[in-house]
């Protein structure tokens, strides 16, 4: 996609999120991604591997294990192929790593412990194998700056995930005492850095100047941030359901709700939503957050970052690729 966008040309008009709202005809996420794939000429890389990323960790491990040493195109396609595929392989490797089970939280009804331990080991090994393949392909691009950018993005990912996991291990840690600015810094490390730096690296490979590279970086950063905000908002904007919706207490709406409400009052609401045995009543807590300003503020933040991403695209000539990238932003700011 960015390779198609890298062709030089004139500028075109910017169709922003007028009055804080996306166009009424904004297409769903799956549709805009499908249209973008048609422009690139082939579907998203490693899709078959991502389909394996379920709760069945042992299944993931065994499927990847079967590919080792077979020279399957799933693992070999990144060589001389494109920076985008290397980026997705890195992303997939970290998704596999994130799927490791916390053995300490398992119950006897969850299955034999040794099976879970084996699944964890295979998840680590398979994730490392995919990451090693990505690094090998990255070196074959023979561009020092690109290697430096993607390497630093991997470092950002590790730092972001380490922070998330360290908080989970703290005893009685229900929620972080952070504001939205700190939340954004953490999200950049664990979600946005890889895409932003990959977009910048694509412009470096196309031999564009530093200004154009920065605009590509800004698009990747703000589009990813908008997408994360959109994802965090889903439990609060979807239609009513009888099912209990579990959400992170450190998601954007909850963090913003805490900012408006105050730390002490927020902790009080959490305690009130806890029943016997410290079982959280997420429905009750969800209603409390929806009654405050956190949800509407998170929607505003989502559209703010969407506008920043669209503004960055103005540095590139009008084309199908640019339109597809803009449509991705519109989809990430669509709430109906």
């Amino acid at each position: 996609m960015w390779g198609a966008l890298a062709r030089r040309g004139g500028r075109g008009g910017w169709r922003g999120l007028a009055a804080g709202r996306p166009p009424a005809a904004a297409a769903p996420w799956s549709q805009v991604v499908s249209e973008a794939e048609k422009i690139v000429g082939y579907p998203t890389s490693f899709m078959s591997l991502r389909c394996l990323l379920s709760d069945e960790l042992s299944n993931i491990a065994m499927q990847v294990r079967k590919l080792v040493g077979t020279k399957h195109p799933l693992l070999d396609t990144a060589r001389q192929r494109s920076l985008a595929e290397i980026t997705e392989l890195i992303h997939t490797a970290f998704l596999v790593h994130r799927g490791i089970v916390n053995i300490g939280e398992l119950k006897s009804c969850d299955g034999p412990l040794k099976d879970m331990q084996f699944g964890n080991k295979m998840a680590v090994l398979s994730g490392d194998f995919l990451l090693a393949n990505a690094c090998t392909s990255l070196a074959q691009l023979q561009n020092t700056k690109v290697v430096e950018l993607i390497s630093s993005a991997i470092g950002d990912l590790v730092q972001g995930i380490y922070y998330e996991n360290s908080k989970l291990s703290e005893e009685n840690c229900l929620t972080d005492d952070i504001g939205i600015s700190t939340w954004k810094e953490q999200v950049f490390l664990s979600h946005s850095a890889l895409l932003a730096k990959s977009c910048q690296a694509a412009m470096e490979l196309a031999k564009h100047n530093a200004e154009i590279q920065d605009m590509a970086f800004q698009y990747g950063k703000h589009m990813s941030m908008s997408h994360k905000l959109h994802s965090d908002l889903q439990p609060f904007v979807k239609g009513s359901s009888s099912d209990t919706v579990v959400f992170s207490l450190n998601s954007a709406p909850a963090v913003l709700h805490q900012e408006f409400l105050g730390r002490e009052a927020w902790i009080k609401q959490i305690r009130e939503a806890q029943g016997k045995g410290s079982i959280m009543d997420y429905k009750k807590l969800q209603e409390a957050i929806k009654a405050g300003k956190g949800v509407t503020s998170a929607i505003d933040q989502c559209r703010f970052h969407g506008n920043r991403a669209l503004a960055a695209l103005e540095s590139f000539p009008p084309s199908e690729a640019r339109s597809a990238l803009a449509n991705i932003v519109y989809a990430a700011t669509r709430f109906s």
Side-chain angles (χ1 to χ4, degrees):
M1 181 64 67
W2 279 96
L5 190 64
R7 301 187 183 95
R8 300 179 183 277
R11 297 172 183 261
W14 172 38
R15 182 167 58 112
L17 304 177
R21 296 182 179 180
W29 178 264
S30 59
Q31 182 178 332
V32 297
V33 172
S34 177
E35 291 172 354
E37 289 173 348
K38 294 177 182 178
I39 295 173
V40 175
Y42 51 87
T44 305
S45 315
F46 310 109
M47 184 61 71
S48 56
L49 178 61
R50 288 161 76 194
C51 289
L52 301 175
L53 298 176
S54 65
D55 293 333
E56 300 291 337
L57 288 179
S58 59
N59 182 52
I60 300 172
M62 294 307 295
Q63 292 293 335
V64 176
R65 189 180 186 185
K66 291 176 182 178
L67 299 178
V68 178
T70 64
K71 297 185 179 179
H72 192 282
L74 175 67
L75 301 177
D76 194 51
T77 188
R79 293 185 174 88
Q80 310 299 345
R81 182 69 180 261
S82 73
L83 176 64
E85 293 181 342
I86 294 172
T87 301
E88 189 159 3
L89 188 53
I90 294 170
H91 175 64
T92 302
F94 277 90
L95 285 180
V96 174
H97 279 161
R98 281 173 180 262
I100 295 174
V101 172
N102 185 346
I103 300 295
E105 295 180 355
L106 294 179
K107 300 177 182 178
S108 58
C109 60
D110 294 323
L113 182 61
K114 63 178 182 180
D115 290 347
M116 295 297 179
Q117 290 174 331
F118 177 76
N120 277 356
K121 290 178 181 178
M122 290 308 301
V124 172
L125 290 174
S126 57
D128 288 348
F129 178 79
L130 296 174
L131 187 58
N133 273 270
C135 292
T136 300
S137 300
L138 182 62
Q140 291 174 351
L141 293 177
Q142 297 182 346
N143 186 301
T144 304
K145 184 174 181 180
V146 169
V147 172
E148 180 182 350
L149 282 169
I150 304 303
S151 297
S152 66
I154 293 174
D156 292 335
L157 269 170
V158 172
Q159 184 178 345
I161 294 173
Y162 175 81
Y163 180 84
E164 291 177 358
N165 291 339
S166 64
K167 288 297 178 182
L168 291 174
S169 64
E170 292 182 9
E171 187 176 2
N172 298 325
C173 180
L174 294 175
T175 176
D176 290 348
D177 184 10
I178 62 173
I180 192 64
S181 59
T182 303
W183 180 90
K184 288 182 179 180
E185 291 174 4
Q186 295 172 4
V187 168
F188 174 78
L189 291 173
S190 58
H191 291 84
S192 303
L194 180 60
L195 179 60
K197 293 182 179 181
S198 295
C199 292
Q200 180 182 352
M203 295 298 99
E204 163 64 23
L205 286 175
K207 302 186 184 305
H208 282 289
N209 60 35
E211 181 182 357
I212 294 298
Q213 290 182 32
D214 182 63
M215 289 299 100
F217 176 93
Q218 294 301 324
Y219 172 83
K221 172 185 175 181
H222 291 291
M223 193 286 290
S224 178
M225 194 70 70
S226 181
H227 184 265
K228 182 63 169 68
L229 284 157
H230 186 275
S231 177
D232 279 8
L233 277 160
Q234 290 312 296
F236 304 93
V237 298
K238 283 185 175 180
S240 60
S241 173
S242 58
D243 298 331
T244 301
V245 179
V246 178
F247 56 89
S248 171
L249 298 184
N250 292 316
S251 61
V255 170
L256 286 163
H257 178 71
Q258 178 183 217
E259 275 199 344
F260 287 114
L261 193 66
R263 176 68 175 175
E264 291 185 5
W266 169 231
I267 294 297
K268 182 180 179 182
Q269 284 188 344
I270 294 176
R271 298 297 184 189
E272 290 175 349
Q274 283 184 315
K276 295 181 179 180
S278 297
I279 299 176
M280 186 71 69
D281 184 349
Y282 281 93
K283 191 69 176 179
K284 183 176 181 180
L285 196 59
Q286 181 190 47
E287 292 302 321
I289 295 174
K290 290 171 69 174
K293 300 178 181 179
V295 174
T296 55
S297 182
I299 292 175
D300 290 341
Q301 286 286 330
C302 179
R303 289 171 177 161
F304 166 78
H305 287 286
N307 272 325
R308 292 289 297 273
L310 291 173
L313 285 178
E314 277 295 280
S315 299
F316 301 93
S319 65
E320 287 186 344
R322 193 179 86 166
S323 296
L325 290 169
N327 287 336
I328 288 174
V329 175
Y330 295 130
T333 53
R334 183 174 181 265
F335 294 98
S336 60

